[in-house]
Amino acid sequence: MEREIMKDLLKWRERNDRKPLILLGARQVGKTYILKEFGKRHYEQTAYINCDDNEMVKDLFLPDYDIRRILLAIGSITGVSIQPGKTLIILDEIQELKRGLNALKYFCENAPEYHVAVAGSLLGITLHQRESFPVGKVNTMNIRPMTYEEFLLAKGQKQMYEMLKNRQWDVIAGTRSLYVQSLREYYFTGGMPEAVKKHLETNDTVQVREIQKEILLAYDKDISKHAPTNEAIRINQVWKSIPSQLAKDNRKFIYGAVRKGARAKDFEIAIQWLLDAGLVYKIDRVSKPDMPLGCYADYSSFKLYMLDCGLLGAMNDMPPSLMLLPNKMAESKGSFTENFVCSQLHNCRNLSVFYYSKENSTQEVDFVVQHDTDIVAVEVKSEENLQSKSLKAFHCENLEVRCLRTSMADYRQEDWMVNVPLYAIKSYWETTKK
């Protein structure tokens, strides 16, 4: 399946100041697949090693950091002749090797001509406690679940993908039903590659949901494996509370909803673990929509969204029909659609995402985005209800801030705001020229 990060990997390959690459991401987002595919397309050969529970490599870096010895061992294990610039060395689950991360420093300093890429779960690498992270000696990239646009490519709908990228709004409007149907499919499957693959192979909601449940179970096991015993329970409590937190009217995270009487200090570490693991997005409140937004952030007031809308539906046991058919999700569709928009925004470059609420008022805007030097207020609508009272009130008080509504309706430019279709929300940010 085609992933847009492939372009970034190719740029890394061509860099004169290239360093060993660490590809970060939550479990099951496609790290291994994309590195193997990258090696297949752009190198003469690939030397791949899975370091998880592999007796052949468990002591690879223990004797010393002699790169000549290490390369000889990797070549022997993989049966590949390691050649600078022609061979991609992939060390998967690198966090499982003692001194594995630190070894990348020596590849950087002593053998920069060799192309080395490693992958591991964020839980294993970011939270790695056995050794220091090789700061300044590696390049890093993050990979997240597949976006809606990548879902279109996986379905073979390249022309629809290109129309979004080119903002051909008139043509898009003429094929709106196809975009909406694919979006509803994406709502159910989400962007976890294995779930998408199963959907395309079987068109069977039962089998796709089984995959999603298996991924959620793997996350539970990862938390138990990597988290300190005294924190694992709290991490799970926060993780499992997210669907109910999002079901509230204002989506704001409430500690008391996790456990009666709970306070911030009880769960701050647990929330940070989930952030470090790449399993959630934390959207902080801003009290003023001004540049830069971070200066007006209230970090004590925030919302937590899941990394993937398909997993959100699976965790909440949402029947597939509610996501696949229009106007079926009732009260839950607002939070679900916000989660989708949040995940798409986090896959855009140069975006900082917050939400806005006015002091001593019920006025709130779903997202406030800093895009380069612009501030944009974003209101999310699940279907075609285009009433935007909250956004209009916000606009009247903040005339200098651009306003955007995203809904199932077609693209339209009004005097004070623009409506962008939900299925075009990511493409809009990446193609709009400011």
Side-chain angles (χ1 to χ4, degrees):
M1 291 183 284
E2 197 66 38
R3 302 297 303 269
E4 292 183 336
I5 197 174
M6 185 67 77
K7 299 173 185 176
D8 297 321
L9 291 171
L10 188 55
K11 289 179 182 177
W12 170 79
R13 185 191 190 285
E14 302 303 324
R15 285 178 61 169
N16 293 326
D17 61 345
R18 182 193 59 258
K19 302 173 184 177
L21 174 69
I22 298 181
L23 185 61
L24 297 169
R27 182 179 291 277
Q28 303 272 5
V29 295
K31 299 182 296 295
T32 301
Y33 167 82
I34 200 65
L35 286 181
K36 285 185 172 180
E37 188 67 16
F38 174 54
K40 179 180 177 181
R41 293 186 189 183
H42 299 291
Y43 290 84
E44 292 184 9
Q45 50 195 354
T46 300
Y48 171 84
I49 295 178
N50 188 336
C51 304
D52 187 20
D53 197 23
N54 189 334
E55 288 292 324
M56 296 181 70
V57 296
K58 69 176 184 177
D59 298 328
L60 181 61
F61 302 113
L62 287 184
D64 52 47
Y65 292 119
D66 185 302
I67 297 300
R68 187 172 180 276
R69 177 191 63 80
I70 292 169
L71 290 173
L72 186 63
I74 292 175
S76 176
I77 292 168
T78 61
V80 173
S81 175
I82 311 297
Q83 301 180 52
K86 297 181 179 180
T87 306
L88 177 64
I89 300 170
I90 302 175
L91 301 177
D92 204 357
E93 301 292 350
I94 184 66
Q95 75 279 358
E96 299 300 328
L97 292 189
K98 293 180 180 179
R99 309 211 303 174
L101 286 176
N102 202 46
L104 299 179
K105 170 184 175 182
Y106 296 91
F107 272 103
C108 175
E109 293 177 345
N110 302 331
E113 68 274 21
Y114 290 95
H115 294 215
V116 181
V118 306
S121 71
L122 275 164
L123 273 170
I125 291 182
T126 307
L127 307 177
H128 203 56
Q129 298 179 1
R130 292 177 294 181
E131 60 191 79
S132 61
F133 191 87
V135 178
K137 303 299 181 179
V138 294
N139 300 130
T140 61
M141 291 185 196
N142 283 279
I143 183 171
R144 297 185 175 92
M146 297 173 67
T147 63
Y148 171 71
E149 287 87 346
E150 290 173 329
F151 181 71
L152 289 179
L153 289 177
K155 291 184 65 178
Q157 296 172 328
K158 186 174 181 180
Q159 188 174 10
M160 291 174 62
Y161 170 88
E162 295 293 344
M163 287 192 296
L164 285 179
K165 293 299 183 185
N166 295 326
R167 293 183 294 157
Q168 296 174 271
W169 301 121
D170 291 342
V171 182
I172 290 170
T175 54
R176 174 177 171 274
S177 61
L178 297 178
Y179 283 104
V180 171
Q181 178 57 37
S182 291
L183 178 59
R184 297 197 191 282
E185 291 178 26
Y186 181 84
Y187 279 175
F188 170 65
T189 64
M192 304 305 284
E194 189 176 0
V196 172
K197 185 172 183 288
K198 183 63 68 174
H199 167 67
L200 298 178
E201 289 175 349
T202 69
N203 200 36
D204 186 331
T205 59
V206 174
Q207 293 190 52
V208 172
R209 181 55 59 84
E210 287 176 354
I211 294 293
Q212 293 168 334
K213 290 287 189 178
E214 289 171 0
I215 293 172
L216 290 172
L217 181 60
Y219 288 162
D220 290 341
K221 291 180 178 179
D222 269 355
I223 291 171
S224 298
K225 176 181 178 181
H226 293 286
T229 304
N230 62 333
E231 286 296 335
I233 294 175
R234 293 177 181 178
I235 294 170
N236 267 302
Q237 287 176 325
V238 173
W239 174 239
K240 298 295 174 58
S241 79
I242 292 177
S244 62
Q245 298 274 3
L246 292 176
K248 301 192 305 295
D249 287 341
N250 64 2
R251 330 288 190 221
K252 179 183 174 182
F253 187 88
I254 304 296
Y255 292 99
V258 180
R259 190 182 68 201
K260 187 176 181 180
R263 293 173 293 178
K265 68 177 184 179
D266 299 323
F267 289 98
E268 285 178 337
I269 295 177
I271 291 172
Q272 190 60 50
W273 269 72
L274 290 170
L275 287 169
D276 289 340
L279 299 184
V280 298
Y281 300 115
K282 182 173 180 278
I283 307 299
D284 296 300
R285 172 183 174 270
V286 288
S287 57
K288 183 179 180 180
D290 205 351
M291 181 74 70
L293 286 176
C295 289
Y296 304 97
D298 173 10
Y299 295 107
S300 66
S301 183
F302 59 90
K303 304 176 184 181
L304 288 185
Y305 294 93
M306 288 186 65
L307 81 159
D308 179 66
C309 60
L311 294 184
L312 174 61
M315 181 182 285
N316 210 20
D317 289 319
M318 188 179 291
S321 60
L322 299 190
M323 291 175 277
L324 292 168
L325 300 175
N327 300 309
K328 290 292 185 180
M329 284 196 283
E331 295 300 323
S332 62
K333 66 182 179 181
S335 61
F336 190 87
T337 309
E338 279 186 32
N339 202 112
F340 162 77
V341 172
C342 180
S343 67
Q344 302 304 293
L345 292 178
H346 275 83
N347 274 279
C348 298
R349 301 178 191 274
N350 303 319
L351 287 189
S352 298
V353 185
F354 299 84
Y355 81 95
Y356 169 83
S357 66
K358 189 176 181 180
E359 295 284 358
N360 303 316
S361 172
T362 58
Q363 185 186 108
E364 182 172 309
V365 177
D366 297 324
F367 300 105
V368 180
V369 174
Q370 180 176 318
H371 184 216
D372 294 329
T373 59
D374 285 347
I375 302 295
V376 184
V378 180
E379 184 175 58
V380 178
K381 294 291 186 180
S382 302
E383 295 292 339
E384 292 188 68
N385 175 12
L386 301 186
Q387 293 183 357
S388 301
K389 295 180 180 179
S390 295
L391 189 62
K392 184 66 174 179
F394 173 88
H395 168 71
C396 291
E397 296 178 6
N398 303 275
L399 295 175
E400 73 286 358
V401 178
R402 295 195 303 113
C403 293
L404 181 152
R405 178 183 61 216
T406 183
S407 69
M408 286 294 192
D410 294 333
Y411 178 88
R412 68 181 68 176
Q413 180 75 54
E414 300 181 15
D415 57 349
W416 65 279
M417 62 154 288
V418 60
N419 184 88
V420 176
L422 282 162
Y423 46 81
I425 190 64
K426 178 176 179 290
S427 293
Y428 173 82
W429 291 107
E430 294 186 336
T431 57
T432 298
K433 304 299 182 184
K434 304 303 179 189

